[in-house]
C-alpha cells in the first residue's frame, strides 16, 4: 500500500467527519454513503433510539452480514476444493 494519505470530509447521519487514510477518496465517500443510508433505515424502524444506539445496531447488522458472507465464501471454497 502507498504511504499517500487522502483526506475526505463526509457526512454520516447528519454529522461531518474528516477522514484521512490510504483508501481512494471515492471509496471513502461510497462507504460513508452506504453507512449513512443504513443508519437512516435503522432509524426509521426504531424511532426512539439515540444516534449512538442507531450506529451500534447498524454496525451489528453489517457485522452479521459480513459473517454470513464469510461463511458462504468458506463453503464455496470447500466446494471448489472438492471439485478438484
Amino acid at each position: 500500500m502507498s504511504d499517500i494519505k487522502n483526506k475526505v470530509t463526509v457526512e454520516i447521519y447528519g454529522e461531518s467527519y474528516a477522514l484521512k487514510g490510504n483508501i481512494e477518496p471515492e471509496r471513502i465517500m461510497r462507504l460513508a454513503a452506504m453507512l449513512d443510508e443504513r443508519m437512516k433505515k435503522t432509524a426509521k424502524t426504531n424511532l426512539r433510539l439515540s444516534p449512538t444506539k442507531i450506529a451500534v445496531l447498524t454496525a451489528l447488522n453489517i457485522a452479521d452480514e459480513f459473517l454470513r458472507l464469510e461463511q458462504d465464501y468458506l463453503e464455496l471454497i470447500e466446494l471448489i476444493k472438492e471439485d478438484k
Side-chain angles (χ1 to χ4, degrees):
M1 252 203 193
S2 173
D3 288 337
I4 298 172
K5 299 279 187 197
N6 295 309
K7 186 175 178 183
V8 179
T9 299
V10 297
E11 187 171 310
I12 302 170
Y13 202 63
E15 294 287 329
S16 290
Y17 296 89
L19 304 174
K20 186 169 35 171
N22 295 335
I23 302 172
E24 302 85 23
E26 296 80 17
R27 184 171 177 90
I28 294 171
M29 292 179 345
R30 185 173 172 205
L31 290 167
M34 182 194 82
L35 182 55
D36 182 60
E37 181 181 322
R38 298 285 296 266
M39 286 182 68
K40 287 176 181 175
K41 183 178 175 184
T42 300
K44 283 183 182 178
T45 60
N46 301 280
L47 297 174
R48 296 187 176 148
L49 294 180
S50 70
T52 300
K53 289 186 179 184
I54 290 167
V56 170
L57 282 177
T58 302
L60 285 171
N61 287 328
I62 292 170
D64 181 55
E65 287 178 21
F66 171 80
L67 289 177
R68 288 173 195 262
L69 287 170
E70 182 180 49
Q71 184 61 41
D72 289 348
Y73 171 78
L74 294 173
E75 289 173 10
L76 184 59
I77 294 299
E78 285 303 313
L79 285 172
I80 291 169
K81 286 180 182 176
E82 290 172 8
D83 286 344
K84 288 186 177 183

